[in-house]
Amino acid sequence: MGAEQVRDGFVELYGAEPEGVWSAPGRVNLIGEHTDYNDGFVMPFALPHTAIAAVSRREDGVLRLHSSDVQGGVVELRLDDLAPEADKNWTAYPAGVVWALREAGHPVTGADVHLASTVPSGAGLSSSAALEVVIALALNDLYDLGLQRWQLARLCQRAENVYVGAPTGIMDQTASACCEAGHALFLDTRDLSQQQIPFDLAAEGMRLLVVDTQVKHAHSGGEYGKRRAGCEKGAALLGVNALRDVPYADLDAALARLGDEEEVRRLVRHVVTEDERVERVVSLLRSGETRAIGPVLTEGHASLRDDFRISCPELDLVVDTALTTGALGARMTGGGFGGSAIVLAEAADVDTITKAVEEAFATAGFTAPRVFEAVPSAGARRVS
């Protein structure tokens, strides 16, 4: 669904033209998984799949929300009644952004919103962050709040952490708000410094596939929170503010200090080595050695599978099948427990790999995966 269709849907719902239409993308994380809430490094890029919102201001303290992707009519909420974790529906994401803006002192007095999204839900591609960022950008523009993109990302993270109750890091919202077409975003999640790293695989004869396993995951589920708590325990035991502060060169010594805390040892090992992998990928891309990032991606999957233990049979099957049929590298991406994997491949091998993965899923009795090419795309923007 495009901007014009969303605009037309708004008119049909609310009987007037919207003041504007905005879009915000989902994201794929190239490398750097579960490092963001450990003050570490991540490297996402934006997808062409977006959430689109037609929005107008209101002055009566009412928020009206509608999505073409969800059955049901317009949901009407009073701004003064918005409260953290009271809403367990999809409306919590846009309402949470309004709540976070108002909590931060910004004079938002209401809105009419009509939404549509092409970001696959539950696929580890940040459909929720796209929904949050598109609302934040629209309200920032309409109410002339003057917030920078990184500030919008922070507010959206607060909406998801506090209002929705999902303990996510800052990566997803920053990627949706700040990525540039043809680039991956090297983000330091501690100080939010950003570097746009050129990432044009097509020009080098390669492709990056996303394989959506169709296994749904939920960030607000308990397992994600357990991993985050375990990382925080590891940092406390090692006497550092965050696992980012454990040098890669000192990893063995740090693990030895953790003694018999085996689960914490595994989590610490993943985070510290994953930060090093992000820096390695950045270095390789800067030096033009793009194909050499493939094995680094595969290392990342092994760490997520064996140390962080957030993979699943479907994700492992994608990675194993892709690698045995010629992929340069492959790994799960996103929060884990389902969702998607990415596959780096020569353009000439894409069809062979895709067919092999589809056949492997059929043989295993799994739901057929959805496979598409990931093209680094633009971040959030006003479209009309």
Side-chain angles (χ1 to χ4, degrees):
M1 183 171 288
E4 285 307 309
Q5 289 171 290
V6 176
R7 175 183 288 275
D8 291 345
F10 184 99
V11 174
E12 184 176 338
L13 283 166
Y14 301 118
E17 288 282 333
E19 292 185 80
V21 182
W22 290 260
S23 76
R27 66 95 190 96
V28 162
N29 193 26
L30 182 63
I31 191 75
E33 219 65 78
H34 288 268
T35 50
D36 58 347
Y37 54 79
N38 289 291
D39 282 3
F41 304 121
V42 294
M43 200 171 187
F45 63 86
L47 288 167
H49 306 73
T50 60
I52 301 174
V55 186
S56 287
R57 289 169 289 183
R58 295 179 66 95
E59 298 179 357
D60 58 358
V62 170
L63 175 64
R64 294 198 292 181
L65 300 168
H66 184 269
S67 171
S68 63
D69 306 312
V70 181
Q71 288 188 334
V74 173
V75 177
E76 184 170 311
L77 304 169
R78 292 204 59 80
L79 301 191
D80 289 343
D81 295 337
L82 299 181
E85 298 195 55
D87 185 351
K88 299 301 181 184
N89 300 307
W90 71 270
T91 49
Y93 295 97
V97 171
V98 176
W99 171 85
L101 285 167
R102 284 165 55 86
E103 282 285 300
H106 300 293
V108 176
T109 56
D112 285 340
V113 178
H114 175 53
L115 290 152
S117 179
T118 58
V119 185
S121 177
L125 303 175
S126 297
S127 58
S128 60
L131 192 56
E132 293 157 0
V133 169
V134 75
I135 297 298
L137 183 61
L139 296 176
N140 187 52
D141 288 352
L142 288 175
Y143 282 97
D144 197 22
L145 302 180
L147 296 169
Q148 300 296 310
R149 294 298 183 98
W150 68 268
Q151 293 173 303
L152 294 177
R154 276 285 193 216
L155 284 163
C156 289
Q157 182 198 15
R158 177 166 168 77
E160 188 148 351
N161 289 173
V162 180
Y163 194 89
V164 178
T168 55
I170 190 63
M171 174 181 66
D172 297 349
Q173 293 85 359
T174 304
S176 186
C178 300
C179 279
E180 295 180 4
H183 293 75
L185 178 68
F186 177 34
L187 173 67
D188 182 332
T189 65
R190 170 164 282 169
D191 62 13
L192 297 190
S193 59
Q194 304 175 18
Q195 297 176 48
Q196 301 285 347
I197 308 297
F199 191 55
D200 185 358
L201 293 176
E204 299 186 58
M206 287 175 284
R207 300 289 186 272
L208 190 77
L209 300 178
V210 174
V211 182
D212 176 3
T213 64
Q214 307 284 351
V215 178
K216 302 301 182 185
H217 77 150
H219 266 169
S220 53
E223 291 299 319
Y224 185 99
K226 287 179 184 177
R227 300 306 188 279
R228 182 164 185 164
C231 290
E232 291 169 353
K233 180 179 179 180
L237 289 172
L238 292 171
V240 294
N241 290 327
L243 294 183
R244 150 75 175 276
D245 298 313
V246 179
Y248 178 71
D250 298 343
L251 176 59
D252 288 344
L255 295 177
R257 287 168 55 199
L258 291 172
D260 59 359
E261 293 278 358
E262 181 55 34
E263 183 176 356
V264 174
R265 283 164 54 90
R266 288 190 285 98
L267 299 179
V268 169
R269 183 165 52 227
H270 166 73
V271 172
V272 175
T273 59
E274 186 80 346
D275 273 334
E276 188 273 338
R277 281 186 285 272
V278 177
E279 293 185 291
R280 222 186 320 159
V281 167
V282 171
S283 179
L284 289 168
L285 291 177
R286 283 179 171 155
S287 62
E289 300 175 76
T290 306
R291 283 173 173 79
I293 74 171
V296 187
L297 303 184
T298 305
E299 284 178 33
H301 183 76
S303 182
L304 289 162
R305 180 192 64 211
D306 300 336
D307 278 342
F308 230 67
R309 299 189 180 179
I310 58 171
S311 190
C312 66
E314 292 85 350
L315 288 167
D316 293 340
L317 185 59
V318 173
V319 171
D320 293 344
T321 304
L323 292 173
T324 57
T325 49
L328 297 166
R331 75 173 190 90
M332 59 154 286
T333 187
F337 312 106
S340 298
I342 55 174
V343 177
L344 180 68
E346 303 287 356
D349 295 333
V350 164
D351 289 345
T352 300
I353 292 169
T354 300
K355 182 179 180 182
V357 169
E358 291 172 344
E359 289 178 348
F361 267 56
T363 300
F366 296 152
T367 300
R370 179 186 180 211
V371 185
F372 59 91
E373 182 182 350
V375 179
S377 300
R381 61 198 186 279
R382 185 169 185 162
V383 294
S384 72

